[in-house]
Amino acid sequence: MSNPPVYTTTNGCPVSDAFSTQRISIVNNDYNNKAPIGPLLMQDFKLIDSLAHFDRERIPERVVHAKGAGAYGYFEVTDDITDIVDAKFLNQIGKKTKIFTRFSTVGGEKGSADTARDPRGFSTKFYTEEGNLDLVYNNTPIFFIRDPTKFPHFIHTQKRNPQTNLKDANMFWDYLTNNPESLHQVMYLFSERGTPASLRTMNGYSGHTYKWYNSKGDWHYVQVHFISRQGVHNLNNEQAGKLAGDNPDHHTQDLFDAIEKGDYPVWDCYIQTMTLEESKKQPFSVFDLTKIWPHSDFPLRHFGRFTLNENPSNYFAEVEQVAFSPSNTIPSMQPSNDPVLQSRLFSYPDTQRHRLGGNFHQIPINCPLKSGSFAPQIRDGSMVIDGNLGSTPNYANAYNCPVQYTIPAKVNQDKGNDEKYHEEVIPFHWTIDESYDFVQPGKFWDVLGKTNGEQEALVHNIASHVKDAEPFIQERVAEYFSKANPVIGKLIKEELKKLSKL
Ligand code: HEM
């Protein structure tokens, strides 16, 4: 066995006794044990070094998705999709790329229970030769909002009441029932799909529409799906509630233990693709992430799989400091005009500058393969650790940027031009046909009806949550779900009556 490390102060000076403090040796004979009782000395750098750093150990937790678990792995190309995308990491069957994945709940704090009824974040960083590609997804194919200005309002209602600091069923349902484009996601969330049995047994979905370019510069709209090879398994309301008390870290532990014993989870990766012409014929906007693309019209196409096979060696350095963002992309994969996606491009690096500091991209877990990747004007700032691009000029010029990276010209020309720009600025929600909002939720209710007990579970899960809200909010919740199918509202009211008698 190698020698244990020597305990030192932060300047590397060895310390003889980890637990000693320096103090003035006044011995007071009034005390029987005769131990020195003098005050501490300011020269005791070991003590001050340790306390001062301890005082600064916490950094801001993520404003959403604070509780999470992560692991390393690799992605492998299984099928050729070069007709859709010209990405170097996808250009050869069998090619492997290192990845890091973090799973999370959304609304709870860093110490909250893993089994809360909440969507799960599913973020993967691909360390590709063209830069880090982050796919920052959820385990649900749809989302609560399609207008980014609603996000902070919506999130506040799912967190704590500003006065009581308690979760608040009135706020929760007041927001949702007033913003019924959320219905599809809420039905999904309150169905038995709303609480995964483990992080290994859930899928991941881009939700948003992306634009992927091939080598000719032609593009398709794309949605991505990660399908769990472990199958999809969920907890019911009561199992999840019990686990939240018995082991709030149930999912974190399950993932760590599985990887530790070599039971590596695997996901198959698929795309759905749509042309601009096809998008014009859909009854919904492809920029509206409250909608899915029907699989019957847009079948899944397999292109790869990824495996998680290595646990982090330090939770804080790797899982806490990892910084994912939809803006971390590669030349052939561009965002669409979805306004929620476009807002996310700003929000993530912005919060990360606050959460981790201006040079967060230099932290090893975030650093691209080409360490200190070349952006000559990104210089200095607090905590430079990668050499700061040495003696190269601190601006782009003919000497240090002689070669332009070759990407199909259309990637740049087309960006944002798939929709005609209007002369006047039109709020996105004005362009949406709201009558279609309840069609997909109605179909989802029918899908639940194909499995024994799924519709009943949805009704039970909603009623168990809304029973803590005021009667008028309960009334609104029944109306809200009736938009998908009138029978749901009726059943919720009946279930509420049953629960109130318990
Ligand atoms: C306007 C809409 C949204 C805004 C403003 C927003 C903002 C944020 C912010 C500020 C964070 C914390 C990031 C960090 O501290 O590193 C975050 C995390 C996250 N968001 Fe969003 N978000 C939005 C919508 C979405 C959507 C639609 C999805 C999924 C399709 C999503 C998935 C995630 C995931 C997975 C994380 C956790 C990343 C991690 O593991 O570190 N968000 N979001």
Side-chain angles (χ1 to χ4, degrees):
M1 201 181 131
S2 59
N3 289 336
V6 173
Y7 176 37
T8 72
T9 49
T10 51
N11 64 320
C13 174
V15 169
S16 59
D17 179 352
F19 299 128
S20 67
T21 50
Q22 296 180 23
R23 62 197 313 180
I24 295 179
S25 178
I26 300 173
V27 178
N28 186 330
N29 287 327
D30 295 343
Y31 289 89
N32 285 336
N33 65 16
K34 304 284 181 290
I37 55 159
L40 296 176
L41 291 179
M42 215 176 155
Q43 68 172 26
D44 188 354
F45 178 64
K46 175 179 69 71
L47 174 66
I48 291 174
D49 190 38
S50 143
L51 287 182
H53 194 275
F54 175 76
D55 295 345
R56 291 163 176 79
E57 273 181 12
R58 291 284 90 79
I59 60 170
E61 64 176 38
R62 288 167 177 82
V63 61
V64 280
H65 294 264
K67 175 78 187 282
Y72 295 93
Y74 62 91
F75 168 84
E76 194 172 358
V77 183
T78 55
D79 302 84
D80 181 10
I81 53 164
T82 50
D83 57 314
I84 301 295
V85 67
D86 180 32
K88 291 213 179 349
F89 84 104
L90 293 175
N91 67 5
Q92 201 188 325
I93 291 175
K95 189 168 178 177
K96 289 185 181 167
T97 299
K98 184 178 175 179
I99 60 166
F100 184 79
T101 293
R102 178 176 182 270
F103 304 102
S104 47
T105 49
V106 181
E109 298 83 7
K110 195 164 173 287
S112 58
D114 282 344
T115 56
R117 184 175 296 284
D118 207 5
R120 297 296 182 282
F122 194 140
S123 307
T124 304
K125 198 178 276 295
F126 295 70
Y127 299 92
T128 90
E129 59 269 57
E130 293 180 289
N132 288 353
L133 167 69
D134 293 356
L135 303 184
V136 195
Y137 295 173
N138 280 339
N139 71 330
T140 58
I142 49 232
F143 200 59
F144 302 89
I145 59 167
R146 58 174 163 236
D147 186 333
T149 57
K150 292 189 180 181
F151 190 76
H153 300 269
F154 158 64
I155 291 294
H156 286 169
T157 66
Q158 311 298 296
K159 287 183 170 265
R160 291 173 186 274
N161 178 297
Q163 180 183 21
T164 61
N165 200 34
L166 297 170
K167 293 285 174 79
D168 188 321
N170 288 322
M171 279 172 26
F172 186 100
W173 290 106
D174 180 39
Y175 172 85
L176 294 173
T177 51
N178 275 323
N179 293 278
E181 73 274 22
S182 58
L183 181 59
H184 198 178
Q185 167 77 311
V186 175
M187 280 180 71
Y188 200 99
L189 190 61
F190 276 82
S191 75
E192 292 299 61
R193 302 176 192 193
T195 323
S198 98
L199 301 169
R200 299 177 295 127
T201 59
M202 63 185 205
N203 297 336
Y205 302 93
S206 63
H208 295 289
T209 297
Y210 288 81
K211 279 172 83 178
W212 285 11
Y213 288 76
N214 65 21
S215 60
K216 292 186 210 135
D218 300 327
W219 59 265
H220 285 80
Y221 287 134
V222 171
Q223 293 245 357
V224 183
H225 300 240
F226 299 153
I227 305 296
S228 167
R229 281 230 180 143
Q230 296 68 241
V232 171
H233 302 291
N234 297 291
L235 300 168
N236 69 30
N237 210 39
E238 284 64 32
Q239 290 167 325
K242 183 166 184 319
L243 269 172
D246 290 352
N247 181 4
D249 305 317
H250 175 66
H251 284 167
T252 307
Q253 186 175 357
D254 171 84
L255 180 70
F256 193 92
D257 289 352
I259 293 176
E260 219 47 20
K261 62 175 195 251
D263 181 10
Y264 303 139
V266 180
W267 282 263
D268 280 297
C269 307
Y270 297 85
I271 46 172
Q272 285 180 295
T273 61
M274 196 190 281
T275 61
L276 175 62
E277 286 314 308
E278 285 170 321
S279 76
K280 290 177 182 165
K281 295 184 193 127
Q282 301 311 310
F284 54 88
S285 164
V286 291
F287 308 133
D288 174 354
L289 83 158
T290 67
K291 306 292 181 287
I292 54 155
W293 296 5
H295 290 206
S296 48
D297 300 333
F298 304 100
L300 296 182
R301 183 169 163 191
H302 194 242
F303 70 97
R305 65 170 165 262
F306 63 85
T307 306
L308 298 181
N309 63 351
E310 187 188 330
N311 276 318
S313 56
N314 184 283
Y315 183 87
F316 185 88
E318 291 143 85
V319 188
E320 193 59 18
Q321 292 201 111
V322 68
F324 296 99
S325 171
S327 55
N328 292 340
T329 191
I330 56 175
S332 53
M333 297 184 177
Q334 294 295 318
S336 71
N337 288 351
D338 175 341
V340 174
L341 177 56
Q342 300 249 327
S343 303
R344 294 179 69 203
L345 304 177
F346 159 76
S347 189
Y348 290 66
D350 183 52
T351 198
Q352 286 150 5
R353 285 180 199 108
H354 157 69
R355 182 166 77 79
L356 301 162
N359 280 317
F360 71 90
H361 56 281
Q362 294 183 15
I363 300 170
I365 188 76
N366 298 322
C367 202
L369 285 182
K370 294 188 180 102
S371 167
S373 54
F374 191 62
Q377 82 294 1
I378 305 272
R379 290 289 175 123
D380 305 355
S382 144
M383 303 286 295
V384 166
I385 49 171
D386 74 347
N388 211 19
L389 295 173
S391 60
T392 54
N394 55 5
Y395 64 101
N397 61 57
Y399 305 106
N400 64 9
C401 304
V403 188
Q404 295 285 331
Y405 189 69
T406 313
I407 49 176
K410 282 190 190 168
V411 175
N412 288 329
Q413 286 161 14
D414 276 353
K415 220 182 277 175
N417 289 345
D418 44 326
E419 289 265 286
K420 283 200 189 80
Y421 285 117
H422 296 268
E423 283 167 25
E424 45 182 334
V425 177
I426 298 179
F428 178 64
H429 61 270
W430 289 10
T431 65
I432 298 285
D433 171 10
E434 289 179 354
S435 66
Y436 188 75
D437 279 350
F438 313 117
V439 173
Q440 291 192 351
K443 287 188 180 153
F444 182 61
W445 172 252
D446 296 340
V447 169
L448 293 180
K450 289 183 186 150
T451 314
N452 226 353
E454 285 232 51
Q455 289 180 337
E456 291 76 4
L458 173 72
V459 169
H460 172 71
N461 298 340
I462 296 166
S464 307
H465 193 284
V466 78
K467 72 175 175 13
D468 299 326
E470 302 274 352
F472 81 95
I473 295 275
Q474 293 179 350
E475 195 60 44
R476 263 168 44 191
V477 168
E479 275 167 38
Y480 170 76
F481 287 101
S482 295
K483 293 178 203 291
N485 188 320
V487 82
I488 313 179
K490 196 171 130 284
L491 292 172
I492 289 173
K493 285 184 183 173
E494 285 169 14
E495 187 70 9
L496 276 170
K497 265 192 208 138
K498 250 195 258 165
L499 291 176
S500 70
K501 285 185 195 135
L502 289 182

